[in-house]
Short mmCIF file of all heavy atoms in Angstrom, two decimals:
data_model
loop_
_atom_site.label_atom_id
_atom_site.label_comp_id
_atom_site.label_asym_id
_atom_site.label_seq_id
_atom_site.Cartn_x
_atom_site.Cartn_y
_atom_site.Cartn_z
N CYS A 20 0.81 -1.21 -0.02
CA CYS A 20 0.00 0.00 0.00
C CYS A 20 0.87 1.27 -0.02
O CYS A 20 0.61 2.22 -0.72
CB CYS A 20 -0.92 -0.01 1.20
SG CYS A 20 -2.11 1.33 1.18
N ARG A 21 1.94 1.22 0.80
CA ARG A 21 2.83 2.37 0.91
C ARG A 21 3.62 2.61 -0.40
O ARG A 21 3.95 3.73 -0.73
CB ARG A 21 3.79 2.11 2.08
CG ARG A 21 4.76 3.20 2.38
CD ARG A 21 5.57 2.93 3.63
NE ARG A 21 6.13 1.56 3.68
CZ ARG A 21 7.26 1.23 3.06
NH1 ARG A 21 7.92 2.08 2.33
NH2 ARG A 21 7.73 0.00 3.13
N LEU A 22 3.85 1.55 -1.17
CA LEU A 22 4.66 1.67 -2.37
C LEU A 22 3.82 1.89 -3.65
O LEU A 22 4.38 1.98 -4.71
CB LEU A 22 5.52 0.40 -2.56
CG LEU A 22 6.63 0.27 -1.52
CD1 LEU A 22 7.27 -1.10 -1.63
CD2 LEU A 22 7.67 1.37 -1.72
N ASP A 23 2.53 1.94 -3.52
CA ASP A 23 1.72 2.12 -4.71
C ASP A 23 1.87 3.50 -5.28
O ASP A 23 2.25 3.71 -6.40
CB ASP A 23 0.24 1.81 -4.40
CG ASP A 23 -0.59 1.83 -5.65
OD1 ASP A 23 -0.11 1.32 -6.70
OD2 ASP A 23 -1.70 2.35 -5.65
N GLN A 24 1.55 4.52 -4.45
CA GLN A 24 1.73 5.91 -4.86
C GLN A 24 2.93 6.48 -4.19
O GLN A 24 3.04 6.44 -2.96
CB GLN A 24 0.46 6.71 -4.50
CG GLN A 24 0.51 8.14 -5.03
CD GLN A 24 -0.81 8.82 -4.81
OE1 GLN A 24 -1.82 8.21 -4.54
NE2 GLN A 24 -0.79 10.13 -4.89
N LEU A 25 3.87 7.00 -4.98
CA LEU A 25 5.15 7.45 -4.43
C LEU A 25 5.23 8.97 -4.46
O LEU A 25 5.44 9.57 -5.50
CB LEU A 25 6.30 6.86 -5.31
CG LEU A 25 6.26 5.34 -5.46
CD1 LEU A 25 7.19 4.91 -6.57
CD2 LEU A 25 6.59 4.66 -4.16
N PRO A 26 5.09 9.61 -3.30
CA PRO A 26 5.15 11.10 -3.24
C PRO A 26 6.54 11.61 -3.63
O PRO A 26 7.53 11.09 -3.16
CB PRO A 26 4.81 11.42 -1.79
CG PRO A 26 4.21 10.17 -1.22
CD PRO A 26 4.77 9.03 -2.00
N TYR A 27 6.58 12.62 -4.47
CA TYR A 27 7.85 13.21 -4.88
C TYR A 27 8.65 13.70 -3.68
O TYR A 27 9.87 13.58 -3.65
CB TYR A 27 7.63 14.35 -5.85
CG TYR A 27 7.13 13.95 -7.19
CD1 TYR A 27 5.90 14.39 -7.66
CD2 TYR A 27 7.86 13.09 -8.00
CE1 TYR A 27 5.43 13.99 -8.91
CE2 TYR A 27 7.41 12.71 -9.25
CZ TYR A 27 6.20 13.15 -9.70
OH TYR A 27 5.72 12.78 -10.93
N ALA A 28 7.99 14.27 -2.69
CA ALA A 28 8.69 14.79 -1.53
C ALA A 28 9.44 13.68 -0.80
O ALA A 28 10.52 13.91 -0.23
CB ALA A 28 7.71 15.49 -0.58
N GLU A 29 8.89 12.47 -0.78
CA GLU A 29 9.53 11.36 -0.12
C GLU A 29 10.60 10.68 -0.99
O GLU A 29 11.42 9.91 -0.47
CB GLU A 29 8.50 10.32 0.34
CG GLU A 29 7.61 10.86 1.43
CD GLU A 29 6.60 9.79 1.90
OE1 GLU A 29 6.94 8.61 1.90
OE2 GLU A 29 5.48 10.19 2.24
N LEU A 30 10.58 10.93 -2.27
CA LEU A 30 11.59 10.39 -3.17
C LEU A 30 12.81 11.30 -3.32
O LEU A 30 13.82 10.91 -3.84
CB LEU A 30 11.00 10.16 -4.57
CG LEU A 30 9.97 9.07 -4.69
CD1 LEU A 30 9.35 9.11 -6.09
CD2 LEU A 30 10.55 7.71 -4.41
N ASP A 31 12.69 12.53 -2.86
CA ASP A 31 13.74 13.55 -3.00
C ASP A 31 14.85 13.34 -1.96
O ASP A 31 14.61 12.89 -0.86
CB ASP A 31 13.12 14.93 -2.85
CG ASP A 31 14.06 16.02 -3.29
OD1 ASP A 31 15.00 15.73 -4.04
OD2 ASP A 31 13.86 17.17 -2.87
N GLY A 32 16.07 13.69 -2.36
CA GLY A 32 17.20 13.64 -1.44
C GLY A 32 17.59 12.22 -1.09
O GLY A 32 17.42 11.27 -1.87
N VAL A 33 18.18 12.02 0.10
CA VAL A 33 18.52 10.68 0.59
C VAL A 33 17.22 10.07 1.10
O VAL A 33 16.73 10.42 2.16
CB VAL A 33 19.59 10.77 1.69
CG1 VAL A 33 19.90 9.38 2.20
CG2 VAL A 33 20.82 11.48 1.19
N SER A 34 16.68 9.14 0.32
CA SER A 34 15.35 8.65 0.60
C SER A 34 15.31 7.14 0.78
O SER A 34 15.75 6.40 -0.11
CB SER A 34 14.44 9.07 -0.57
OG SER A 34 13.22 8.39 -0.52
N ASP A 35 14.78 6.71 1.91
CA ASP A 35 14.58 5.27 2.14
C ASP A 35 13.58 4.70 1.16
O ASP A 35 13.71 3.56 0.70
CB ASP A 35 14.15 4.99 3.58
CG ASP A 35 15.24 5.27 4.57
OD1 ASP A 35 16.43 5.23 4.17
OD2 ASP A 35 14.94 5.55 5.75
N LEU A 36 12.53 5.49 0.84
CA LEU A 36 11.50 5.03 -0.09
C LEU A 36 12.10 4.81 -1.48
O LEU A 36 11.83 3.77 -2.11
CB LEU A 36 10.37 6.07 -0.17
CG LEU A 36 9.22 5.74 -1.10
CD1 LEU A 36 8.51 4.47 -0.64
CD2 LEU A 36 8.27 6.90 -1.18
N ARG A 37 12.92 5.74 -1.97
CA ARG A 37 13.52 5.55 -3.28
C ARG A 37 14.45 4.33 -3.29
O ARG A 37 14.48 3.57 -4.24
CB ARG A 37 14.30 6.82 -3.70
CG ARG A 37 14.66 6.78 -5.15
CD ARG A 37 15.34 8.02 -5.65
NE ARG A 37 16.68 8.14 -5.13
CZ ARG A 37 17.09 9.00 -4.21
NH1 ARG A 37 16.25 9.88 -3.73
NH2 ARG A 37 18.33 9.02 -3.81
N LEU A 38 15.21 4.12 -2.21
CA LEU A 38 16.10 2.97 -2.13
C LEU A 38 15.28 1.67 -2.15
O LEU A 38 15.71 0.69 -2.80
CB LEU A 38 16.95 3.02 -0.87
CG LEU A 38 18.00 4.14 -0.83
CD1 LEU A 38 18.70 4.15 0.51
CD2 LEU A 38 19.01 3.96 -1.96
N GLU A 39 14.16 1.65 -1.49
CA GLU A 39 13.29 0.46 -1.49
C GLU A 39 12.71 0.20 -2.87
O GLU A 39 12.67 -0.95 -3.33
CB GLU A 39 12.18 0.66 -0.45
CG GLU A 39 11.38 -0.57 -0.18
CD GLU A 39 10.40 -0.41 0.96
OE1 GLU A 39 10.37 0.67 1.62
OE2 GLU A 39 9.64 -1.36 1.20
N VAL A 40 12.29 1.26 -3.55
CA VAL A 40 11.76 1.13 -4.90
C VAL A 40 12.83 0.62 -5.86
O VAL A 40 12.59 -0.30 -6.66
CB VAL A 40 11.17 2.49 -5.38
CG1 VAL A 40 10.89 2.46 -6.88
CG2 VAL A 40 9.92 2.81 -4.62
N VAL A 41 14.02 1.18 -5.77
CA VAL A 41 15.13 0.74 -6.64
C VAL A 41 15.49 -0.70 -6.36
O VAL A 41 15.74 -1.47 -7.28
CB VAL A 41 16.34 1.69 -6.44
CG1 VAL A 41 17.59 1.11 -7.07
CG2 VAL A 41 16.02 3.06 -7.03
N CYS A 42 15.47 -1.10 -5.11
CA CYS A 42 15.71 -2.49 -4.76
C CYS A 42 14.69 -3.43 -5.37
O CYS A 42 15.03 -4.50 -5.89
CB CYS A 42 15.78 -2.65 -3.22
SG CYS A 42 16.17 -4.28 -2.68
N LEU A 43 13.42 -3.03 -5.32
CA LEU A 43 12.36 -3.82 -5.94
C LEU A 43 12.54 -3.92 -7.47
O LEU A 43 12.30 -4.97 -8.07
CB LEU A 43 10.97 -3.27 -5.63
CG LEU A 43 10.45 -3.53 -4.23
CD1 LEU A 43 9.15 -2.79 -4.00
CD2 LEU A 43 10.24 -5.03 -4.02
N LEU A 44 12.95 -2.82 -8.08
CA LEU A 44 13.20 -2.84 -9.51
C LEU A 44 14.38 -3.76 -9.85
O LEU A 44 14.29 -4.55 -10.77
CB LEU A 44 13.53 -1.43 -10.03
CG LEU A 44 12.35 -0.51 -10.28
CD1 LEU A 44 12.80 0.91 -10.53
CD2 LEU A 44 11.53 -1.03 -11.46
N ARG A 45 15.46 -3.64 -9.08
CA ARG A 45 16.65 -4.43 -9.38
C ARG A 45 16.42 -5.92 -9.09
O ARG A 45 16.81 -6.76 -9.91
CB ARG A 45 17.84 -3.91 -8.54
CG ARG A 45 19.12 -4.69 -8.79
CD ARG A 45 20.31 -4.13 -8.02
NE ARG A 45 20.73 -2.87 -8.65
CZ ARG A 45 20.65 -1.68 -8.09
NH1 ARG A 45 20.22 -1.55 -6.85
NH2 ARG A 45 21.06 -0.60 -8.73
N ASN A 46 15.84 -6.24 -7.97
CA ASN A 46 15.73 -7.64 -7.55
C ASN A 46 14.41 -8.31 -7.94
O ASN A 46 14.28 -9.52 -7.81
CB ASN A 46 15.95 -7.74 -6.05
CG ASN A 46 17.29 -7.25 -5.63
OD1 ASN A 46 18.25 -7.35 -6.39
ND2 ASN A 46 17.37 -6.67 -4.44
N GLY A 47 13.43 -7.50 -8.30
CA GLY A 47 12.12 -8.08 -8.64
C GLY A 47 11.69 -7.85 -10.07
O GLY A 47 11.49 -8.81 -10.84
N ALA A 48 11.57 -6.60 -10.47
CA ALA A 48 11.05 -6.28 -11.80
C ALA A 48 12.03 -6.68 -12.91
O ALA A 48 11.61 -7.26 -13.93
CB ALA A 48 10.71 -4.82 -11.91
N ALA A 49 13.31 -6.36 -12.77
CA ALA A 49 14.27 -6.68 -13.85
C ALA A 49 14.34 -8.16 -14.12
O ALA A 49 14.25 -8.58 -15.27
CB ALA A 49 15.64 -6.09 -13.48
N PRO A 50 14.53 -9.04 -13.11
CA PRO A 50 14.53 -10.50 -13.40
C PRO A 50 13.20 -11.00 -13.96
O PRO A 50 13.19 -11.84 -14.86
CB PRO A 50 14.81 -11.14 -12.04
CG PRO A 50 15.41 -10.09 -11.21
CD PRO A 50 14.86 -8.80 -11.70
N PHE A 51 12.08 -10.42 -13.46
CA PHE A 51 10.79 -10.83 -13.97
C PHE A 51 10.68 -10.45 -15.46
O PHE A 51 10.19 -11.25 -16.27
CB PHE A 51 9.67 -10.15 -13.16
CG PHE A 51 8.33 -10.34 -13.78
CD1 PHE A 51 7.65 -11.53 -13.65
CD2 PHE A 51 7.76 -9.32 -14.51
CE1 PHE A 51 6.40 -11.71 -14.24
CE2 PHE A 51 6.51 -9.48 -15.13
CZ PHE A 51 5.83 -10.68 -14.98
N LEU A 52 11.09 -9.24 -15.82
CA LEU A 52 10.99 -8.81 -17.22
C LEU A 52 11.90 -9.63 -18.13
O LEU A 52 11.57 -9.84 -19.30
CB LEU A 52 11.28 -7.32 -17.32
CG LEU A 52 10.24 -6.41 -16.65
CD1 LEU A 52 10.68 -4.96 -16.69
CD2 LEU A 52 8.89 -6.57 -17.30
N GLU A 53 13.02 -10.10 -17.58
CA GLU A 53 13.90 -10.98 -18.37
C GLU A 53 13.14 -12.24 -18.77
O GLU A 53 13.20 -12.68 -19.90
CB GLU A 53 15.14 -11.37 -17.56
CG GLU A 53 16.16 -10.28 -17.41
CD GLU A 53 16.96 -10.01 -18.67
OE1 GLU A 53 17.18 -10.92 -19.48
OE2 GLU A 53 17.34 -8.84 -18.86
N GLN A 54 12.45 -12.86 -17.77
CA GLN A 54 11.67 -14.06 -18.06
C GLN A 54 10.46 -13.78 -18.92
O GLN A 54 10.07 -14.58 -19.79
CB GLN A 54 11.25 -14.73 -16.77
CG GLN A 54 12.37 -15.42 -16.03
CD GLN A 54 11.85 -16.16 -14.80
OE1 GLN A 54 10.79 -15.82 -14.27
NE2 GLN A 54 12.58 -17.18 -14.40
N ALA A 55 9.80 -12.66 -18.70
CA ALA A 55 8.58 -12.30 -19.41
C ALA A 55 8.82 -12.01 -20.89
O ALA A 55 7.89 -12.00 -21.68
CB ALA A 55 7.90 -11.11 -18.74
N GLN A 56 10.05 -11.79 -21.27
CA GLN A 56 10.42 -11.49 -22.63
C GLN A 56 10.27 -12.73 -23.52
O GLN A 56 10.08 -12.62 -24.72
CB GLN A 56 11.89 -11.01 -22.71
CG GLN A 56 12.31 -10.43 -24.01
CD GLN A 56 12.00 -8.96 -24.11
OE1 GLN A 56 12.00 -8.27 -23.12
NE2 GLN A 56 11.74 -8.49 -25.29
N GLY A 57 10.29 -13.91 -22.93
CA GLY A 57 10.31 -15.14 -23.71
C GLY A 57 8.94 -15.63 -24.16
O GLY A 57 7.91 -15.00 -23.96
N LEU A 58 8.96 -16.81 -24.79
CA LEU A 58 7.75 -17.40 -25.38
C LEU A 58 6.63 -17.60 -24.36
O LEU A 58 5.47 -17.35 -24.63
CB LEU A 58 8.10 -18.74 -26.02
CG LEU A 58 6.95 -19.54 -26.62
CD1 LEU A 58 6.31 -18.79 -27.74
CD2 LEU A 58 7.46 -20.87 -27.10
N PHE A 59 7.00 -18.05 -23.16
CA PHE A 59 5.97 -18.33 -22.14
C PHE A 59 5.84 -17.20 -21.13
O PHE A 59 5.29 -17.39 -20.06
CB PHE A 59 6.30 -19.63 -21.43
CG PHE A 59 6.28 -20.83 -22.39
CD1 PHE A 59 7.48 -21.45 -22.77
CD2 PHE A 59 5.11 -21.26 -22.93
CE1 PHE A 59 7.46 -22.48 -23.65
CE2 PHE A 59 5.09 -22.29 -23.82
CZ PHE A 59 6.29 -22.93 -24.19
N GLY A 60 6.27 -16.03 -21.50
CA GLY A 60 6.21 -14.87 -20.61
C GLY A 60 4.80 -14.49 -20.22
O GLY A 60 4.56 -13.96 -19.14
N SER A 61 3.81 -14.76 -21.09
CA SER A 61 2.44 -14.39 -20.77
C SER A 61 1.85 -15.25 -19.67
O SER A 61 0.81 -14.94 -19.10
CB SER A 61 1.57 -14.48 -22.04
OG SER A 61 1.52 -15.81 -22.49
#
């Protein structure tokens, strides 16, 4: 719930929220998109 809408004020500067989002992108979305690119990605 907290990560759905990301307020700019909380993403600015040294931000724990931004680090958490980047971690999810690096460790979750990027590997998922690698697999989703293939034939059985759907």
Side-chain angles (χ1 to χ4, degrees):
C20 186
R21 182 174 47 81
L22 291 170
D23 187 41
Q24 185 172 344
L25 306 166
Y27 290 119
E29 293 182 34
L30 292 172
D31 193 20
V33 178
S34 166
D35 290 337
L36 180 63
R37 193 177 71 251
L38 292 175
E39 190 172 356
V40 167
V41 167
C42 183
L43 284 173
L44 279 170
R45 180 177 286 115
N46 299 328
F51 171 78
L52 293 174
E53 287 286 330
Q54 287 186 335
Q56 191 88 31
L58 176 62
F59 298 108
S61 63

